[in-house]
Amino acid sequence: MNFKTYSLTLVSSLISFSVFSQNLQGLKPLIDQVLANNKAKVGIAIHNDTFTDSLIINGDYPYPMQSTYKFHLAIAILDQVDKGKLTLGQPVEISKETVSTDLYSPIKDKYPNGTTLPLSEIIRYTVAESDNVGCDIMFGLLGGTEQVQKYFEEKGYSEQSIKTTEEEQQANWDIQFQNWTKVSQANKILFDYYSNTKKLLSDSSHKFLWDTMRSTSTGKDRLKGLLPQGTVVAHKTGYSGINKTTGIIAAVNDIGVIELPNGKMFYISVYVTDSKETEPNSAKIIAEVSKAAYDYLRK
């Protein structure tokens, strides 16, 4: 074999290895096995660290966001912090009337007579603990859900809709479907936020949100559920509850950024809807998809 032939063979081998090692389509049979026997519609988006390769399953469906939209809300709030219109340290008064609600709220549980908290704590409660009172307070600070939707539309994100508050969507089962996203859109915002390629946030706001999402306490049985202990997962969950009439779950969701052993990240959004499974079994779907992606990409 002459040098030219050897060089071409080597280059060809390297290209083949690169394509094989990065080709997320090879993950699809493993994901298909996870989904095979589950009674639910599952939307999945998985992207590599550079967002140059992807696996999208059931990507055209508008999935109810539920509390995953608190990630989007936090970005919109922190944008206002970066512009000097809000500050993380500013006091936010929470009246007794505000916490006199049936909404899920660790703030309500800790401060049943109301309190005053810095905005940074409201964000932390809303994102890391999925607090619904904190969420609607933040929508109020921005002037309503339409301001969050407008922010993302102006940034070029068109495949999602943020229309209603937590109080509104939890008062009527059907209203939750007004807040929807396509799975690829959720991943694109995760990537643009984390990589900061579009400069969505300042460095300090980026770090604040990253630290907050890493401390998320909800959904431990979802993206994180089957991963090795200590794996870095910055994520946001969502859950609809169970329709008392039909027994169907409209949303068990988790979106996030996961670190691999080599230090690279991957982006994953899993939305489970129209589920006739139990909540634990619906969460298990997310955990198994996450584990399959983690194992495949760590090779």
Side-chain angles (χ1 to χ4, degrees):
M1 180 185 294
N2 60 38
F3 178 78
K4 183 176 181 180
T5 302
Y6 172 80
S7 298
L8 289 173
T9 301
L10 178 59
V11 169
S12 176
S13 297
L14 288 173
I15 291 174
S16 297
F17 175 78
S18 177
V19 171
F20 175 79
S21 64
Q22 295 181 9
N23 185 3
L24 277 165
Q25 292 304 311
L27 174 60
K28 189 175 185 302
L30 301 176
I31 301 297
D32 287 343
Q33 290 178 22
V34 173
L35 303 182
N37 298 313
N38 290 293
K39 299 175 183 178
K41 185 177 186 66
V42 185
I44 300 168
I46 301 168
H47 286 78
N48 65 347
D49 61 322
T50 57
F51 221 73
T52 55
D53 189 23
S54 66
L55 175 63
I56 311 297
I57 294 176
N58 296 326
D60 292 332
Y61 191 80
Y63 294 89
M65 298 176 86
Q66 279 293 337
S67 288
T68 60
Y69 78 169
K70 292 170 183 172
F71 164 63
H72 305 72
L73 172 57
I75 289 177
I77 281 280
L78 290 169
D79 172 70
Q80 294 298 293
V81 171
D82 290 342
K83 290 175 178 175
K85 296 180 180 180
L86 297 172
T87 67
L88 288 178
Q90 75 180 67
V92 178
E93 184 178 351
I94 305 172
S95 68
K96 183 175 181 177
E97 181 181 9
T98 300
V99 294
S100 298
T101 175
D102 292 332
L103 293 175
Y104 167 78
S105 171
I107 292 176
K108 174 190 72 176
D109 295 341
K110 188 171 183 179
Y111 305 105
N113 294 313
T115 188
T116 298
L117 295 173
L119 177 57
S120 60
E121 275 296 285
I122 303 292
I123 298 171
R124 188 194 66 77
Y125 271 111
T126 299
V127 175
E129 299 187 44
S130 209
D131 194 293
N132 293 326
V133 167
C135 175
D136 286 357
I137 287 172
M138 286 166 61
F139 276 129
L141 288 172
L142 291 174
T145 56
E146 63 272 13
Q147 296 305 315
V148 180
Q149 178 67 13
K150 180 181 177 183
Y151 167 85
F152 282 98
E153 286 179 351
E154 290 178 347
K155 297 290 184 181
Y157 305 105
S158 61
E159 293 189 316
Q160 68 179 33
S161 172
I162 297 174
K163 298 294 185 185
T164 69
T165 64
E166 284 289 355
E167 184 176 15
E168 290 167 339
Q169 73 172 343
Q170 294 199 34
N172 184 319
W173 180 266
D174 293 333
I175 287 178
Q176 68 180 298
F177 299 102
Q178 295 181 31
N179 300 324
W180 59 265
T181 187
K182 294 187 177 179
V183 287
S184 291
Q185 185 76 102
N187 255 19
K188 184 65 167 66
I189 295 172
L190 282 168
F191 172 75
D192 287 345
Y193 151 69
Y194 179 73
S195 66
N196 218 11
T197 52
K198 293 186 72 169
K199 299 297 180 184
L200 295 180
L201 299 175
S202 67
D203 290 345
S204 59
S205 289
H206 178 281
K207 183 179 185 303
F208 174 80
L209 184 53
W210 175 250
D211 291 341
T212 301
M213 291 179 70
R214 282 187 60 183
S215 69
T216 290
S217 60
T218 57
K220 293 179 180 179
D221 57 350
R222 299 182 202 175
L223 288 181
K224 297 179 71 171
L226 297 174
L227 299 183
Q229 187 174 1
T231 300
V232 172
V233 181
H235 64 126
K236 183 69 202 82
T237 59
Y239 177 54
S240 66
I242 302 172
N243 186 300
K244 295 179 181 179
T245 302
T246 65
I248 290 175
I249 298 175
V252 180
N253 309 328
D254 206 355
I255 65 174
V257 185
I258 299 176
E259 184 176 21
L260 295 164
N262 62 9
K264 291 185 177 181
M265 303 293 181
F266 72 95
Y267 306 89
I268 179 169
S269 295
V270 186
Y271 284 79
V272 179
T273 191
D274 194 24
S275 179
K276 299 177 181 64
E277 303 286 347
T278 63
E279 189 278 329
N281 282 349
S282 298
K284 186 180 177 184
I285 296 171
I286 299 175
E288 291 180 346
V289 168
S290 176
K291 181 64 161 56
Y294 181 90
D295 289 345
Y296 184 83
L297 286 166
R298 71 181 298 181
K299 295 176 181 178

